[in-house]
Amino acid sequence: PTDEIGWQHGRDAIDRGLESLTRGVKEGAVDHVSVFALTYLPWLVYLGSRLDDTMSVEVFERHRGAGGNRSWCWYEPEGDTLEFDTTVTGEGDKQASGVVVITNLTGTVREARIPDGLKQLPRVVLEPVGATPAAGILRSKADLDAAADAWIRLLGTTTSSARGRPFSISAR
């Protein structure tokens, strides 16, 4: 979607789906949720913000492997688990009205894609160490867990950097 109406339509669809899911959890009919990530990252972030700890949630990514392997399962780790780094820039600007959070996972957010009204704000960037952000970078459950741990650390960094200011997320 390229406009707010399109994004709102997606959020509304997620909310409608979660109404019946939440009802199923409360009634004991649902005890596990599997999420197959096949949409824009902002909607996945929104979905994640709406799921709570009353549900057992497992997340999957569709792999785009060579030879036509398009599986929805996590591969066994091959070598070291990915590591992620968080970089803070412009942290000293105490007058800034917010913070921009950039996640470079399936690609790199280009500077030109950041809205003009946010370019002057301090940034917190999350990206893999020693690997190029690309589709399929999270190949194992261990990689996903490492990214989730890095995200939690990022939120702690952002909270201290933002000092109560709002923040915007730019994900790829």
Side-chain angles (χ1 to χ4, degrees):
T2 57
D3 61 9
E4 183 56 33
I5 293 171
W7 289 112
Q8 185 60 49
H9 178 74
R11 290 189 299 267
D12 291 345
I14 290 169
D15 290 340
R16 282 190 305 273
L18 286 176
E19 284 176 18
S20 62
L21 181 63
T22 302
R23 191 171 36 257
V25 169
K26 286 180 181 175
E27 294 170 357
V30 175
D31 64 357
H32 177 85
V33 177
S34 293
V35 176
F36 295 88
L38 192 61
T39 190
Y40 295 102
L41 280 174
W43 281 334
L44 292 174
V45 170
Y46 181 74
L47 172 63
S49 75
R50 298 294 317 248
L51 295 172
D52 61 36
D53 60 1
T54 63
M55 300 177 214
S56 170
V57 179
E58 192 168 4
V59 178
F60 296 89
E61 176 185 25
R62 185 169 188 202
H63 297 285
R64 300 175 180 112
N69 183 357
R70 306 269 189 228
S71 69
W72 283 96
C73 62
W74 292 109
Y75 297 122
E76 289 299 317
E78 297 173 4
D80 295 334
T81 300
L82 284 175
E83 294 181 28
F84 296 87
D85 191 26
T86 301
T87 306
V88 180
T89 60
E91 186 176 12
D93 185 359
K94 293 180 176 31
Q95 303 305 316
S97 61
V99 173
V100 175
V101 176
I102 298 172
T103 58
N104 293 329
L105 293 175
T106 62
T108 301
V109 175
R110 294 186 309 259
E111 188 77 22
R113 302 242 11 219
I114 298 173
D116 290 336
L118 301 177
K119 287 184 179 178
Q120 79 285 357
L121 296 176
R123 293 190 185 101
V124 181
V125 180
L126 173 70
E127 55 194 352
V129 175
T132 302
I137 192 167
L138 303 176
R139 296 187 47 81
S140 69
K141 181 79 167 70
D143 290 339
L144 176 66
D145 290 344
D149 290 344
W151 176 253
I152 291 167
R153 287 191 311 273
L154 177 145
L155 290 177
T157 300
T158 303
T159 302
S160 64
S161 297
R163 293 181 271 308
R165 298 173 290 190
F167 62 91
S168 299
I169 299 175
S170 190
R172 184 116 205 278

